[in-house]
Amino acid sequence: MKRFALLVGLVVLCLNASAIFAQDSLTLTPIGTYATGLIYEGAAEINAYDEMNKRLAVVNAQSNSLDLIDITDPTTPTLYKSVSLNDFGGTANSVTIHGELIAVAVASEAVDAAGAIVFLNLEGELVNSVEAGVLPDMVTFTPDGSKVVSANEGEPSDDYTVDPVGSVTIVDVATFTATQVSFEGVDAEGIRVYGPNATFAQDVEPEYVAVSADSMTAYVTLQENNALAVVDLAQGVVVDVLDLGAKDYSLEANAIDASDKDGAINLQTWPVMSLYLPDAIAAYEVNGETYLITANEGDARDYDGYSEEARVADLVLDATVFPNAAELQAEDQLGRLKTTTTMGDTDADGDHDVIYGFGARSFTIWNTAGEVVFDSANAFETITAELVPASFNSDGSNESFDARSDDKGAEPEGVVVGEINGKFYAFICLERTGGVMVYDVTDPTAPVFQSYANNITPEGSVEAGTAGDIGPEGLKFISAEKSPNGMPLLIVSNEVSGTTTIYEIK
């Protein structure tokens, strides 16, 4: 059984309108916001930074465009240009910048058609376009700028009659030639493969990519499969797939609120093993060793044609393992928690011997063998419960208090790592509750909580554009050396509110 570190020392806390922080810590202060005026449409999802011109590039999925935003004065970001991507597909999903090149991942409108990686210069003018796999959802340059890597999800149609293969695309930037990395024939022993009649290649849905500092290896989250793929970028092959296991909610350090119907913040231990199912991943190096940080969102498959979801109340629980099943299945206890029907019947007798939930409600640091180095346990729930109780496990407002306790809690979504004064810091955004958690991860085995910033106005209205930042999705760290104002910055794009906010780091 894995051991999880406990967070301690949250003793001296302060609160202002935008940030909650521990004494002598790194804090975030919002200094400027660009608003698209489009809500609920993914109008601001992933961002990248052009250090030469001091501009942000933000994908706008609603208009299938790339917004170039001038942040020469980061307190007053303004739209420089919007670049249409309609000639290359139906949805712009991700963007990355290195030197004088912008690369954008664009998905086709057809569920089983190849997408594209579109290369632009810094003025948004076309340089080249390269075919990717089906549904390129995340794209990144390698640190040396020689390659671009995309994670191609290959999601099924809503009726699940079409299930394209997932893949990884590697583009040699010097020649704009692409290598399509397949999962066909890859050893999937011990990996969660469960889509209806799916091969492993069809079942994998590559979500996010992190690249080692030497630009030789890509680490790709396979979210729905609860796994991590290791890709050799020189050879263009998958060399390993690592199962990530599950988190034990029966341990005191991992106590959670499992019900949205109890009307209170109620952290308890439960007989549940919860799959990590990570979304974003970041890589950093300490003393020559590569470490990987994941935001454990917990996305599940839930389509019209197939769904793995069921609440605990709807499961048939083994009477020997769960003698108190009736009590557990009450809706103010464990009954409301969403679980997977694909696992848990260990003796094949038709009932559940183990309850498996979705997501770990945390961030985790892994070594490159897929072993847990650190997990933040239930810190996100304990911190938000103490400091923003009215927004606990919410959908971003006081009106939705406790609404996500049965599902995935605050729902960690994105993560980036930045270096400041010789220390490494992880920034993790919470898609539902909102805001960004900051941790000092200089020692990967013992991260230290720094602060929590949330630029939400709970009494505001999303429709009126007065609610602040709702649904944080994409993060970008900008060092002081590259920043337009000489201070380190964190850029946060928010898909629900259609806003991109600039935080100054102090």
Side-chain angles (χ1 to χ4, degrees):
M1 183 172 293
K2 298 181 177 70
R3 296 181 181 271
F4 298 92
L6 295 172
L7 290 178
V8 296
L10 303 182
V11 178
V12 183
L13 297 163
C14 303
L15 173 66
N16 63 23
S18 61
I20 300 154
F21 49 92
Q23 190 176 29
D24 299 324
S25 63
L26 205 73
T27 60
L28 306 179
T29 302
I31 60 172
T33 295
Y34 173 76
T36 62
L38 302 170
I39 59 173
Y40 300 118
E41 299 290 348
E45 293 199 15
I46 305 299
N47 65 75
Y49 179 57
D50 165 14
E51 62 181 275
M52 295 184 183
N53 296 299
K54 311 306 181 198
R55 294 180 195 141
L56 301 177
V58 183
V59 288
N60 186 328
Q62 197 277 335
S63 62
N64 191 31
S65 64
L66 185 70
D67 292 339
L68 301 181
I69 301 168
D70 184 347
I71 62 166
T72 304
D73 177 358
T75 66
T76 56
T78 57
L79 182 65
Y80 172 72
K81 181 188 291 185
S82 186
V83 180
S84 173
L85 295 161
N86 288 334
D87 290 342
F88 306 99
T91 308
N93 283 330
S94 182
V95 61
T96 182
I97 295 176
H98 190 279
E100 299 183 14
L101 270 183
I102 302 173
V104 188
V106 184
S108 171
E109 292 182 357
V111 70
D112 57 351
I117 300 174
V118 181
F119 290 88
L120 310 170
N121 64 22
L122 298 180
E123 291 299 313
E125 299 162 338
L126 180 65
V127 174
N128 213 320
S129 177
V130 178
E131 185 175 288
V134 177
L135 187 55
D137 195 48
M138 189 273 175
V139 65
T140 186
F141 275 97
T142 56
D144 65 6
S146 67
K147 296 179 179 67
V148 163
V149 186
S150 74
N152 311 312
E153 277 200 272
E155 286 185 339
S157 58
D158 198 49
D159 61 6
Y160 232 102
T161 60
V162 179
D163 188 4
V165 298
S167 64
V168 174
T169 299
I170 305 170
V171 180
D172 185 324
V173 174
T175 60
F176 293 109
T177 55
T179 298
Q180 308 299 341
V181 180
S182 171
F183 286 84
E184 297 284 358
V186 173
D187 182 7
E189 184 178 357
I191 304 302
R192 185 175 183 243
V193 179
Y194 62 100
N197 304 311
T199 65
F200 179 54
Q202 288 175 305
D203 210 56
V204 296
E205 296 181 7
E207 184 78 27
Y208 220 91
V209 181
V211 180
S212 59
D214 63 6
S215 299
M216 297 300 292
T217 307
Y219 300 93
V220 184
T221 54
L222 309 178
Q223 185 171 28
E224 286 80 2
N225 305 93
N226 193 44
L228 182 69
V230 183
V231 178
D232 183 320
L233 294 178
Q235 299 298 317
V237 295
V238 178
V239 295
D240 206 354
V241 180
L242 307 171
D243 176 61
L244 298 180
K247 183 169 175 175
D248 188 351
Y249 283 163
S250 72
L251 300 179
E252 190 66 35
N254 297 336
I256 64 163
D257 188 328
S259 175
D260 61 338
K261 298 297 185 182
D262 55 11
I265 297 171
N266 183 21
L267 302 184
Q268 294 189 41
T269 57
W270 300 103
V272 174
M273 301 297 291
S274 205
L275 305 173
Y276 288 91
L277 303 173
D279 188 322
I281 183 171
Y284 73 118
E285 192 173 286
V286 178
N287 297 326
E289 295 290 326
T290 297
Y291 294 91
L292 308 169
I293 304 182
T294 58
N296 303 315
E297 179 192 21
D299 208 11
R301 285 200 175 106
D302 184 25
Y303 296 88
D304 286 345
Y306 170 76
S307 177
E308 65 171 307
E309 290 186 352
R311 297 188 187 275
V312 171
D314 298 323
L315 301 178
V316 178
L317 299 180
D318 183 277
T320 302
V321 179
F322 302 103
N324 60 337
E327 177 185 349
L328 283 176
Q329 291 179 303
E331 69 172 20
D332 64 346
Q333 297 296 306
L334 194 58
R336 291 284 297 170
L337 185 72
K338 288 186 178 179
T339 67
T340 179
T341 58
T342 66
M343 302 170 65
D345 183 5
T346 59
D347 52 12
D349 65 351
D351 59 28
H352 276 70
D353 308 286
V354 182
I355 300 170
Y356 283 98
F358 299 118
R361 307 190 184 198
S362 64
F363 80 93
T364 305
I365 302 180
W366 315 80
N367 63 22
T368 55
E371 299 167 333
V372 174
V373 175
F374 172 87
D375 184 84
S376 62
N378 68 354
F380 292 170
E381 287 196 45
T382 57
I383 291 169
T384 54
E386 181 176 356
L387 302 175
V388 286
S391 296
F392 175 79
N393 282 357
S394 74
D395 260 329
S397 69
N398 290 355
E399 288 74 19
S400 57
F401 165 79
D402 204 26
R404 300 294 298 180
S405 290
D406 63 319
D407 209 343
K408 283 163 277 188
E411 208 159 309
E413 174 81 10
V415 58
V416 294
V417 176
E419 185 176 0
I420 302 173
N421 297 330
K423 291 187 175 183
F424 292 105
Y425 296 91
F427 305 88
I428 307 103
C429 65
L430 308 181
E431 183 177 14
R432 297 293 181 166
T433 302
V436 180
M437 293 281 180
V438 185
Y439 280 76
D440 181 340
V441 294
T442 307
D443 179 353
T445 67
V448 179
F449 171 70
Q450 297 291 292
S451 60
Y452 170 57
N454 196 334
N455 195 38
I456 289 176
T457 305
E459 66 274 14
S461 163
V462 177
E463 289 75 12
T466 58
D469 296 331
I470 310 295
E473 177 84 10
L475 304 173
K476 178 65 179 178
F477 172 79
I478 302 174
S479 67
E481 294 76 17
K482 298 177 180 179
S483 166
N485 68 350
M487 294 290 291
L489 303 175
L490 183 73
I491 315 299
V492 183
S493 294
N494 306 275
E495 62 177 341
V496 174
S497 56
T499 55
T500 297
T501 290
I502 302 164
Y503 285 89
E504 190 170 87
I505 304 170
K506 295 183 179 179

